[in-house]
Amino acid sequence: MVDDLDDGDDLFAPRPGGWGAPGGVPGVHGTPLPDGAARPGADVAAGSPGEGGETGAVSDPSGSDGSAHEDAPADLRARKRRRVLLAGVAAALVLVLGGLTFVDVVRARQAEALLRAVPGGVVGLERPPRELWTVDVGEAWPLAAGELFVVAAEGALVAYDRATGAEAWRRDGLGSVQCGASGGPSADALDARSVTCLGWAEAEEAAPAFTLPPSTVTVLGLDGRTMAERALDPARGNATVLSTGDLARVVRDGRDVVVLVEDARTGEVRWTQTVPTRTSDEGDSSCMAYQEGSPSADGWDVVQLYETGGVLMLLGCDVNASLSSDGTVLSTELTRVQQIRDGRLVRAGMTDSELLDTDGTVLWSVQGELMESLATDGTGPPLLFSRRGPGVVALDEAGDELWAFSGYATQVLLVTRDLTVISSYPGAVAVDSATGEEVWAWKDPAVGRTNGQVAAAFASRGGLTIAYSEDNGAQSRWVSIDVADGSTRWEEQVAVDAWSLFAVGGGVFGTRNGTVVAFG
């Protein structure tokens, strides 16, 4: 890991306890020498003048007989260290003469590492994208786990190297499975340490498949080896894999719905929460079950449970609720609750939005929809945005207004330390992230040929790449904008649906006709 460098840092300045500093190496970089002492490494070779004009001797400050010092190998090591130092300085000079300094290289690597870790961050895209590899996945969606894509299809679990598309490992015979990447220190798939899969037994002919809970859970390491496997207690009901590595279970208890979270490996219960139900009108569609396309009124026991962005969602007959990762009930109505990048939650109402802490405590509210940018390069302030008329208002962490953009705004595309880029007909406008003052405006050269809705946005070093969907998803149009001045760097048509594009670990991926496509 490389330590952060401040703008004023000089890698070649004297360091405490080092060269040129008090207590440093004597005789180097101006450090005073003891009277009569030779500089370190200024060894006296055979045949050269020594102390008192003698030859053929190695100077020995501790001896008087002129014999070789017993620590002579240390002198050899000193000469080697000096050669390594000179080689390092020469390499640094090459970088400087080539227009780069060592500090520039370090900062470039730090910027790349940051882009690989943030939403929408991409390493590359200085030029139009090209396809790096494709992998057939059928109807399955690739699951990012560490440096892998994991795909569950046709009774097998297959892992592919995300950089090359090569098959890393395969597990056959797992049957019908649903998997999630989990177990890392955060909910980020790049931090995942394991893959947890739920398995279903073959359904009996008399039992509709959609009413059956999963019967097994298997936890696999990222090398494909089984770390744990057990049968699930059917009395705990349906299950889903959480990003934490645990399982969430849901079952009816009279009219109420009971949700519990258990350790995937051991079954130990983490917490339990009872969610009250509402009384529905007769014929409420939420109480209808569908079998082979025909509705029937026997859907009472069917409760869908899934996690989206760190929020547990319940949907079933007389219940529509959202829970936090610790079991706090966030909503019991048809209300959208989503997690933002810093872990806090946004609860959207009909006319206003609330920002919640991770435990569900309301921090503040604001009129209109609350949103964050599609992409960031990791350097920007923690801004949130709310709609105001046709424009947007920038809010700080406390919900205080910083500035307002009064022009027509559809989306906030990018936030960096210096700029916030807003999608605005007929293109985009960049404003100062601190003041909201306009910096530049970009006019889309294809205005009138597209609906203006950006499907995906990616931040790279010095650039913003946006993608529009065209030809009913058969094509996408990619445009790269230089964030320094708003000029168009390049534009390209790509045969992939723009709405399927996503960034993981600094790369860009999409899906097309049952395949995953990697771009670079």
Side-chain angles (χ1 to χ4, degrees), residues 405-426:
F405 177 77
S406 58
Y408 177 73
T410 57
Q411 298 157 286
V412 180
L413 303 176
L414 173 70
V415 173
T416 72
R417 177 180 53 200
D418 302 317
L419 297 175
T420 295
V421 183
I422 301 168
S423 178
S424 177
Y425 185 86

Side-chain angles (χ1 to χ4, degrees), residues 125-164:
L125 291 185
E126 287 83 8
R127 294 176 296 275
R130 58 188 179 89
E131 291 188 12
L132 301 180
W133 53 259
T134 61
V135 169
D136 293 329
V137 297
E139 297 181 358
W141 183 261
L143 172 70
E147 298 299 322
L148 304 173
F149 276 138
V150 180
V151 178
E154 299 180 355
L157 193 66
V158 186
Y160 299 94
D161 186 288
R162 201 175 64 240
T164 65

Side-chain angles (χ1 to χ4, degrees), residues 428-430 438-443 485-486:
V429 176
E438 182 174 322
V439 178
W440 51 254
W442 171 76
K443 183 177 180 180
D485 56 13

Side-chain angles (χ1 to χ4, degrees), residues 119 309 336 338-346 355 369-376 381-387 392-393 395 410-415 420-421:
R336 181 172 60 89
Q338 66 182 52
Q339 190 177 58
I340 59 177
R341 292 170 192 144
D342 64 7
R344 294 180 297 176
L345 305 163
V346 172
L355 185 70
E369 177 188 1
L370 194 59
M371 56 186 174
E372 54 188 349
S373 62
L374 294 182
T376 175
L383 298 181
L384 293 176
F385 304 88
S386 67
R387 294 194 181 277
V392 294
V393 176
L395 307 168
T410 57
Q411 298 157 286
V412 180
L413 303 176
L414 173 70
V415 173
T420 295
V421 183

Side-chain angles (χ1 to χ4, degrees), residues 19-189:
W19 299 335
V25 179
V28 182
H29 286 230
T31 304
L33 288 167
D35 293 338
R39 290 182 179 274
D43 45 325
V44 182
S48 61
E51 184 178 355
E54 297 180 359
T55 61
V58 178
S59 61
D60 183 2
S62 62
S64 58
D65 58 1
S67 61
H69 197 286
E70 62 182 359
D71 291 332
D75 293 330
L76 295 176
R77 290 194 294 271
R79 290 200 298 272
K80 290 181 180 178
R81 287 195 298 270
R82 189 166 64 253
R83 287 195 293 268
V84 171
L85 168 65
L86 293 175
V89 171
L93 288 174
V94 170
L95 287 173
V96 172
L97 294 175
L100 291 175
T101 67
F102 182 71
V103 175
D104 292 329
V105 174
V106 171
R107 285 178 175 154
R109 291 178 178 173
Q110 289 176 338
E112 284 194 2
L114 193 58
L115 286 169
R116 294 179 189 278
V118 297
V122 171
V123 177
L125 291 185
E126 287 83 8
R127 294 176 296 275
R130 58 188 179 89
E131 291 188 12
L132 301 180
W133 53 259
T134 61
V135 169
D136 293 329
V137 297
E139 297 181 358
W141 183 261
L143 172 70
E147 298 299 322
L148 304 173
F149 276 138
V150 180
V151 178
E154 299 180 355
L157 193 66
V158 186
Y160 299 94
D161 186 288
R162 201 175 64 240
T164 65
E167 183 175 310
W169 49 263
R170 169 185 292 266
R171 286 290 304 270
D172 294 306
L174 293 179
S176 178
V177 294
Q178 177 191 34
C179 302
S182 52
S186 73
D188 194 327

